[in-house]
Amino acid sequence: MKVLAAMSGGVDSAVAAARAVDAGHDVTGVHLALSPKPASHREGARGCCSLEDSRDARRAADVLGIPFYVWDVAERFTTDVVDDFVAEYAAGRTPNPCVRCNERIKFAAVLDRALALGFDAVATGHYARIIGGGLHRAVDGEKDQSYVLAVLRPDQIAAAMFPLGESRKTDVRAEAARRGLAVADKPDSHDICFIPSGDTAGWLRSRLGDAPGEIVDESGAVLGSHGGTYAFTVGQRRGLALTRPAPDGRPRYVLSISPVERTVTVGPLERLDVNRIECGAPTWCGQEPVHDPIPALAQVRAHAEPVQCRARVLDGGLVVDLDDRIAGVAAGQTLVLYDGDRVIGSATIERAA
Amino acid sequence: MAYLDHAATTPMRPEAVDRMAELLGQVGNASSLHAAGRRARRIVEESREAVAAAIGARPSEIVFTSGGTESDNLAIKGLYWARHNADARRRRILVSAVEHHAVLDPAIWIADHAGGELVVLPVDSLGRTAPDALRAAIEAAPDEVAVASAMWANNEVGTVASVAELADVAAEYGVPLHTDAVQAVGSLPVDYAASGAAALTLTGHKLGGPVGVGALVLGRDVECAPLLHGGGQERDVRSGTLDVPAIAAFAVAVELAVKEQAQRAEFLIGLRDDLIRRVREVVPDAQLNGDPAGGSEHRLPGNAHFSFPGCEGDALLMLLDAQGIECSTGSACSAGVARPSHVLLAMGQDEDRAKSSLRFSLGHSSTAADVDALIAAIGPAVERARTAAAR
Ligand SMILES: Cc1ncc(COP(=O)(O)O)c(C=O)c1O
């Protein structure tokens, strides 16, 4: 097969490309330039779109002896991922940019272009498995990235290759070293790649400006003030800087965010607990489920514990009833339904109660 | 493999390889006073004489450098500072809009960081700077011009400038004109003295010499501030221990390239015109960029530069690369990201056309088989790139 290997400059995508070569495929490496003005150096473990990362990717491709190109997708990435990220926070929601990037860039714009140019598949360094055309969790549970891939449709999965799905991260690093790939001990990238400083609130402030408002409890009593609702996520406890402690002396959590009134409502932990989650239109990762309601495991954010639920489609949206109440469900995040390790589908959370 | 990227770098001539290999084993710093130093010095000076003779300059006018980029930087910054220090009003730097980044960027840098003012000279749709445009730019403030630069032949679209006419205009106002002749030497007749330019850049690896060596031809009475300070080896304008093997091999290549220039130009023009004709047969809507008149006075003999409507140049490049055809999308490239070429934009093309372009450049080792290979591959590649871009 003619395989296009997306190479970020990190260890995972380098080993994924190497394995595609070993499997006998005709592999071409491509680094996606996501930033219109790339910084020349990476900042610690953050980001993946500096010129240094591009050079690291090229170096790995050279070691593998495969052709290598840089594809400029900065414009699409800016509108479809970065601007969306800002708009979601401005609307009081909590987006997941990696999900959007997979949905709209890596397995849409890039995959489409690859197929049109004569490639048969796109290989990435994601930790996930494709079994019988279905998307499954990776063997390495710590690294599993099926959550951020759950937005893919069957046709996208059919053209995807995840050569690391059966491996553990430590083995991947060792393999990189064995193969002479210089990225073997490069730190994992964390955080959001287009906010290399790691200061999401500060970055949002520079985009959205100061929008001061009040922090209130459920009775409307003012407990403090803030510089912009975009600095908050439902379920957040730290950084509230309340001027008036709660009467019961217990910690307060963000319950809801209202950017129009510029208020952040806080309350005790148990008020966060929900058992009904309403979502937008679902994307089915494989065959559309036949049961109604669908018995499944629901995961409401990256690295969250999956919980038992029953889901059903209502008026085009997905309504999920959890067996037990859970906390920290934020609008804008992706809810992923699993059948064991298999991804059934996903939808964007609209509200929860 | 069909190598159609000689404008990026061209294979070393075997004679130059031999000379370099022979000298790499010999000790001697050309600045030393003992026998080894004298021997090295002699080789450097003979090389200087050979280069000077080949391009109509005097030996004392040849300043050896590490190549085109250094020579261009030395010319722009060195002439700027020398002229500005002599008269503080002189802060304007006039450069044609199609200059290589090695000229453009130092000029921009001086404007951004050292108090200069950048004046970009417009070009016509073929990439030519009219002498009147230079005149108008000088006339705007004749006492304030520090330096002007206009390239002899453009590395992307191959357009040849009338350097002598531009130099005449500059001379009327006492303005030093630098010309980047990196693509010209060995491809076109180049006579420094007859051109009237104050400074001229050439580099080894575009004419069959090694990479990392070149020269700035600097008139004897042209003041130029040094960028590299140190031992003052080259006329106190450029310091650094001289690279004797590279300089000797460079001289061999310059001599050969210039000696064979007319004959090779005729051969390359024939091959290139064949390439253009056949590309258009296969891709009828391919648009030739640059001067359609293919003679040496107008266009570099080995240059063919097309826009392929509806394609992205970098997709085409990848598809051709997979077929063993090596070419280029132009020179503008930051971290491998294709940006529309400033040359094509300056010629009045829109971004889409600029992004759809490819440069094929022939050189001394090119054969008819290289062209055949391109013609066999270009049709399907264009078709596929079009489908991809249409998505
Ligand atoms: C017109 C022109 N000027 C300058 C240069 C830079 O020369 P060098 O590669 O020797 O630094 C090049 C080659 O890339 C060129 O084509």
Side-chain angles (χ1 to χ4, degrees), chain B residues 7-8 67-70 72 100 102 151 153 155 180 182-183 203 205-206:
Chain B
T69 301
E70 187 192 331
D72 284 344
H100 190 274
M151 70 202 308
N155 50 300
D180 179 338
V182 158
Q183 297 287 339
T203 190
H205 73 106
K206 311 278 186 179

Side-chain angles (χ1 to χ4, degrees), chain B residues 89-152:
Chain B
R89 287 176 303 170
R90 296 173 184 154
R91 358 176 347 258
R92 305 175 78 223
I93 309 168
L94 279 41
V95 297
S96 102
V98 296
E99 292 305 305
H100 190 274
H101 280 289
V103 167
L104 219 42
D105 289 17
I108 293 171
W109 186 88
I110 292 173
D112 287 350
H113 298 98
E117 185 191 333
L118 177 70
V119 178
V120 176
L121 303 173
V123 295
D124 65 12
S125 62
L126 305 185
R128 297 175 302 198
T129 303
D132 280 347
L134 176 60
R135 181 182 299 282
I138 299 176
E139 280 284 348
D143 296 334
E144 296 176 15
V145 182
V147 56
S149 185
M151 70 202 308
W152 196 299

Side-chain angles (χ1 to χ4, degrees), chain A residues 4 12 23 26 43 57 85 105 140 149 169 202 214 219 246 265 277-279 285 339:
Chain A
L4 184 133
D12 292 331
D26 175 5
E43 300 185 29
F85 181 81
I105 306 292
D140 187 338
L149 295 165
K169 176 76 184 202
E214 291 171 340
S219 72
T265 306
I277 304 173
E278 292 171 29
C279 305
C285 234
D339 169 13

Side-chain angles (χ1 to χ4, degrees), chain B residues 19-65:
Chain B
R19 183 70 174 136
M20 190 152 174
E22 173 199 341
L23 293 177
L24 280 170
Q26 293 185 15
V27 71
N29 181 326
S31 301
S32 300
L33 300 178
H34 45 60
R38 289 196 299 276
R39 192 172 56 234
R41 186 86 210 156
R42 178 173 173 184
I43 293 168
V44 168
E45 293 312 320
E46 284 171 358
S47 301
R48 197 186 306 281
E49 287 158 14
V51 171
I55 59 169
R58 289 186 251 213
S60 59
E61 294 172 325
I62 305 294
V63 175
F64 287 121
T65 67

Side-chain angles (χ1 to χ4, degrees), chain A residues 22-144:
Chain A
D22 283 358
H25 300 301
D26 175 5
V27 181
T28 294
V30 163
H31 179 75
L32 303 176
L34 303 177
S35 164
K37 274 205 207 106
S40 58
H41 293 284
R42 203 165 11 83
E43 300 185 29
R46 301 196 154 115
C48 59
C49 28
S50 69
L51 296 182
E52 192 181 354
D53 294 303
S54 172
R55 273 194 301 274
D56 287 346
R58 177 184 297 276
R59 181 78 187 93
D62 289 346
V63 170
L64 300 178
I66 59 174
F68 175 85
Y69 306 94
V70 176
W71 282 8
D72 181 9
V73 291
E75 217 172 288
R76 293 280 307 252
F77 186 78
T78 302
T79 50
D80 288 357
V81 180
V82 181
D83 291 352
D84 174 83
F85 181 81
V86 175
E88 285 283 277
Y89 267 109
R93 293 152 64 94
T94 307
N96 184 322
C98 299
V99 171
R100 289 287 92 80
C101 180
N102 286 328
E103 178 189 22
R104 298 177 185 174
I105 306 292
K106 291 204 179 103
F107 298 95
V110 172
L111 177 62
D112 282 353
R113 188 170 197 239
L115 295 178
L117 289 173
F119 291 95
D120 303 301
V122 168
T124 69
H126 284 115
Y127 285 80
R129 286 179 295 166
I130 297 170
I131 302 170
L135 182 66
H136 289 246
R137 287 195 192 273
V139 165
D140 187 338
E142 294 263 305
K143 290 297 301 176
D144 171 50

